[in-house]
Amino acid sequence: MTATIALVDDDRNILTSVSIALQAEGFLTRVYSDGETALKALIDNPPDLAIFDVKMPRMDGLELLRRLREKSHIPVIFLTSKDDELDEALGLAMGADDYIAKPFSQRLLIARIRAILRRTDVAQAGAGEEAVAETLIERGRLQMDPARHKVTWSGDNVTLTVTEFLILEALAQRPGVVKTRNQLMDAAYQDDIYVDDRTIDSHIKRVRRKFREVDGDFDAIETLYGAGYRFSEE
C-alpha cells in the first residue's frame, strides 16, 4: 500500500520541492501551510507519517505536535533550524520520532522516512511474508508485545513511539547487560542513519517519564555514566 506523507510548513518552496521529491519516490502527499489548518486534517484523516516545521505562524510545530499527541501517535519528523537545539530536545521530549536540521538533503529526508515507516510496519506486524513472529518479552513488571506494539508496566498501558519501543526492547532483551549509545542507535535507527548521543539520551528521558506517569518509583532503566544504559534485573 502506498504511504501518505503530510507536510506542514509555511515555506511554500519547501512544500513544493519536498512534495515533488516524495511523489517521485512513490509516496502520496498532503500539504498544509500552517499548524491550525493541519491539526484537524491530521486527526480526522491520519497520514502514515507527518513532517512538521518548527517555526510557523498561528501554531508552531511544537504546539501542533503537543495537540496531535492528545489524539494520535502517527510518526512525526521535525524540521528545525540548524542551531535550534532546544527545539530539537523539546520535540523529542513531546513525542517526535526524528528531526532534521535545515538546510537538509532530500535524499536524507527520504531515507529517514523509509526507515521510520519500515519500523512502524514491523511494530504493527505488517511486514507481510518477511514478518517474523515475535514473542512476548516479560521482565518483572514489564511486558512487551512487539507484534501489537503494546507495552504494560504492572498491567498499566504505556504508550511509546516506534523509536522508543525499539530502544526499550533492545534493553529489555538482555536485562543487566549494558547497551552503549551506539548499540541503541543501531537498534532504533537502521539503514546507517546518523543520530548523535543527545538524541538517544532524549529518547531515554522520555521513556522514563512515560513509565513514571504510571509508576512514580520506576527506576528500571539505569544510566552507567560513560558506558550507556541497562535494564535492571529484578
Side-chain angles (χ1 to χ4, degrees), residues 216-230:
D217 295 324
F218 176 82
D219 60 357
I221 299 177
E222 301 177 342
T223 301
L224 283 300
Y225 292 99
Y229 298 95
R230 71 182 173 197

Side-chain angles (χ1 to χ4, degrees), residues 147-214:
R148 294 175 176 81
H149 190 70
K150 183 177 180 181
V151 181
T152 61
W153 181 260
S154 296
D156 294 319
N157 289 324
V158 181
T159 302
L160 302 180
T161 67
V162 173
T163 302
E164 293 164 359
F165 189 99
L166 291 171
I167 290 173
L168 178 61
E169 183 180 25
L171 292 169
Q173 282 175 337
R174 300 189 67 191
V177 175
V178 177
K179 292 282 188 177
T180 67
R181 289 173 176 81
N182 284 337
Q183 288 173 322
L184 295 177
M185 288 177 196
D186 290 341
Y189 291 89
Q190 300 168 4
D191 297 355
D192 298 323
I193 292 176
Y194 172 76
V195 294
D196 60 24
D197 288 355
R198 186 166 51 81
T199 301
I200 295 299
D201 292 342
S202 294
H203 283 306
I204 291 289
K205 289 178 182 177
R206 195 165 75 244
V207 170
R208 284 172 170 156
R209 176 177 56 78
K210 289 182 176 182
F211 274 90
R212 285 169 183 162
E213 288 174 357
V214 301

Side-chain angles (χ1 to χ4, degrees), residues 53-204:
D53 184 28
V54 172
K55 305 295 186 183
M56 293 187 292
R58 299 177 64 189
M59 182 189 295
D60 65 20
L62 293 170
E63 177 64 11
L64 174 58
L65 178 63
R66 185 188 71 78
R67 295 177 62 177
L68 179 66
R69 281 291 177 255
E70 294 174 354
K71 302 288 186 179
S72 173
H73 290 280
I74 62 171
V76 171
I77 296 175
F78 260 135
L79 301 181
T80 71
S81 298
K82 187 174 182 179
D83 298 326
D84 286 341
E85 294 184 0
L86 179 60
D87 288 342
E88 294 169 2
L90 281 174
L92 291 172
M94 293 167 62
D97 291 86
D98 209 341
Y99 65 85
I100 297 179
K102 295 180 179 179
F104 58 88
S105 157
Q106 290 184 353
R107 179 181 174 186
L108 173 62
L109 176 61
I110 290 169
R112 297 275 183 101
I113 289 170
R114 291 193 184 282
I116 290 175
L117 290 176
R118 192 151 43 243
R119 296 199 306 269
T120 304
D121 286 344
V122 170
Q124 295 175 344
E129 295 179 357
E130 296 179 359
V132 178
E134 301 279 2
T135 58
L136 289 177
I137 298 172
E138 295 182 336
R139 301 289 184 265
R141 288 178 285 171
L142 174 71
Q143 184 179 86
M144 303 183 71
D145 184 346
R148 294 175 176 81
H149 190 70
K150 183 177 180 181
V151 181
T152 61
W153 181 260
S154 296
D156 294 319
N157 289 324
V158 181
T159 302
L160 302 180
T161 67
V162 173
T163 302
E164 293 164 359
F165 189 99
L166 291 171
I167 290 173
L168 178 61
E169 183 180 25
L171 292 169
Q173 282 175 337
R174 300 189 67 191
V177 175
V178 177
K179 292 282 188 177
T180 67
R181 289 173 176 81
N182 284 337
Q183 288 173 322
L184 295 177
M185 288 177 196
D186 290 341
Y189 291 89
Q190 300 168 4
D191 297 355
D192 298 323
I193 292 176
Y194 172 76
V195 294
D196 60 24
D197 288 355
R198 186 166 51 81
T199 301
I200 295 299
D201 292 342
S202 294
H203 283 306
I204 291 289

